[in-house]
Amino acid sequence: MAQVQRMSRLMIKTLRDDPADAETLNHKLLVRAGYVRRTAAGLWSWLPLGKKVLENVSRVVREEMDAIGGQEVLLPALLPKEPYEASGRYEEYGDLLFRLRDRKGAEYLLGPTHEEIFTQVVKDMCSSYKDLPVILYQIQTKYRDEARPRAGVLRGREFQMKDSYSFDTTDEGLAESYQLHRAAYIRIFERLGLDHRIVSAVSGAMGGSASEEFLAPAPAGEDTFVDCPNCDYAANTEAVTYAAAPAGTPAAGPVEELDTPDTPTIEALAGFLGVPASATLKNLLVKVDGEIVAVGVPGDREVDLGKLGEHLAPAEVELVTAEDFVGRPDLVRGYVGPQGLEKVRYIADPRVAAGTSWITGANKEGVHAKNVVCGRDFEVDQYLDVVVVEAGDPCPRCGAGLQVDRAIEIGHIFQLGRKYADIFSLDVLGRQGKPVRVTMGSYGIGVSRAVAALAEQTADDKGLCWPREVAPADVHVVAAGKALQTELALDVSEKLGAAGVRVIVDDRAGVSPGVKFTDAELIGVPKILVAGRRSAEGVLELKDRRTGEREELTVEEALARLTDQG
């Protein structure tokens, strides 16, 4: 017996127009179709149909996590600050963390993620290698104080997430747990009907070694990734890496200074000298934990500050300000060059290879220098991939031109290693009777983000178009309006429900057939069954929401077809 939801009683209000503040497809359609309601900036109420979709996604996640031996738990969302102070993340999260005090003055936080707490749970519960390996997971509300919540449920301050953690005594065991999760994630996203890519990623503040993201390509995505049309290489743009080129033999003459008045920008300099921007060396000054650092990239490329921050995490990276030049005569704003810099660490992109010659600042107002050769006139302290990746850049694996696309991050898996085990001294008694340090993996799926990603990927010009696995019902029965049609629609709906088919039936009185048809397409259930003009003959019209294909069926045929679809 499945639920029959009558729209005459269902708490739903559809809208003809997009919300004024909606920018993305999922935001527009989930609100218009009555799935969610905005409570405050970044906070959303899940209405009856939306809650069903959210729970269907959670069900698929649970089934696949259980299938790999995962054990579900539920940890608090309100957490003490001490474990996060111990890991350093109480400070690292900065303004993203919701912090609060209880009536006694004790400090707490709303959990953005739970590595620290899971580590403590296992430390308390597991004492021997015989207790491991273990995989624990939860589907829990997480909190991050986003500065600019946007895109509906895609980027909120409160969101639903599945986070799981594996605990093993060996690196080989961690690798196995990682692969179990990777395979489970593939099954989850295939069942959900999400087009996705698995890409190499950076671990960032999470720590650890191996890291991969699961991305759902969509124009609304905030992640950018590259893939190669010639091989299977794919990576988040922040994880694209190139090896430094082998040192070349300088072909340039000695350094020569050039008067270049009023050319503090690459565009102005290239125009003044009549050279391409790629011939110039751009030197961006940043502060890394307060220390001024110069970052060198070819003049036709931009520094990816997010990528730089990931490379240097957990250090804080920020741009210099005018005040930072005070008392530093060696730093001439707009005319910085790596040659002659004093007490400034120099980081460069691999394109600034030994033997390459550049036009760059001469560290004098209104003056640049040419024939400045890397390895001869200046040294690079550290090579990091820090440029914004562009379409056509060579694939690090095969050299073909890369494609750049936008996507929504729907999952992320990490081999954390022993970072948190070291912090909390998570040891178990090993086979040889000696303490063994546990190694961990961390694996996340954005449950509410998956709903948004599905809306983005599957919607059409008429509305939402859910895959059956996650849809709030299997069939949307529409009574065109007359009493006979409504009676038939309700009768068929009850029979479908008795056969285990989930049904929404539009039995609203005083609502025109046109509005009902429009709402059925907007709500996006896979099948639409209409009791219309041939109801007196016992004939219904069945429409496939995705393909638009229609066919007329007798009541018996419709019941047989819909009860045999799964």
Side-chain angles (χ1 to χ4, degrees), residues 88-225:
R89 294 205 297 177
Y90 193 74
E91 295 302 324
E92 286 172 23
Y93 265 106
D95 292 338
L96 279 175
L97 205 60
F98 280 103
R99 307 164 199 263
L100 63 156
R101 295 176 183 267
D102 68 9
R103 66 183 66 194
K104 297 180 181 178
E107 295 184 67
Y108 292 84
L109 59 96
L110 295 179
T113 184
H114 279 71
E115 279 79 7
E116 290 86 348
I117 310 304
F118 270 90
T119 304
Q120 291 184 325
V121 168
V122 172
K123 180 178 174 66
D124 184 52
M125 300 292 292
C126 300
S127 58
S128 166
Y129 75 92
K130 297 178 182 179
D131 300 323
L132 302 179
V134 67
I135 294 172
L136 301 176
Y137 78 94
Q138 65 174 347
I139 296 177
Q140 171 64 291
T141 303
K142 307 288 188 178
Y143 299 88
R144 291 178 190 170
D145 191 3
E146 296 284 356
R148 198 170 72 89
R150 57 176 295 274
V153 299
L154 193 57
R155 187 183 179 93
R157 289 174 168 160
E158 175 187 272
F159 51 94
Q160 292 287 309
M161 181 177 172
K162 186 284 299 179
D163 52 325
S164 57
Y165 305 88
S166 62
F167 298 85
D168 291 271
T169 56
T170 65
D171 293 339
E172 293 77 15
L174 170 59
E176 183 178 344
S177 295
Y178 184 90
Q179 290 302 323
L180 282 173
H181 276 84
R182 193 178 193 273
Y185 276 35
I186 292 171
R187 291 192 297 271
I188 287 168
F189 296 130
E190 286 178 347
R191 286 182 61 185
L192 294 179
L194 276 166
D195 176 26
H196 66 280
R197 307 285 187 276
I198 305 174
V199 304
S200 301
V202 292
S203 298
M206 292 288 288
S209 53
S211 174
E212 291 177 294
E213 288 179 341
F214 290 74
L215 302 179
E222 293 184 322
D223 278 49
T224 53
F225 74 101

Side-chain angles (χ1 to χ4, degrees), residues 285-302:
L285 296 180
V286 299
K287 288 189 292 186
V288 179
D289 282 345
E291 173 197 0
I292 293 180
V293 173
V295 182
V297 300
D300 61 337
R301 305 303 290 262
E302 297 296 329

Side-chain angles (χ1 to χ4, degrees), residues 21-36:
D21 61 339
E23 300 174 353
T24 57
L25 195 58
N26 86 86
H27 187 176
K28 295 173 183 176
L29 294 179
L30 289 174
V31 172
R32 281 185 54 206
Y35 283 76
V36 299

Side-chain angles (χ1 to χ4, degrees), residues 523-537:
I523 290 169
V525 169
K527 300 291 184 181
I528 300 173
L529 186 65
V530 180
R533 58 186 175 81
R534 297 190 63 188
S535 293
E537 305 170 48

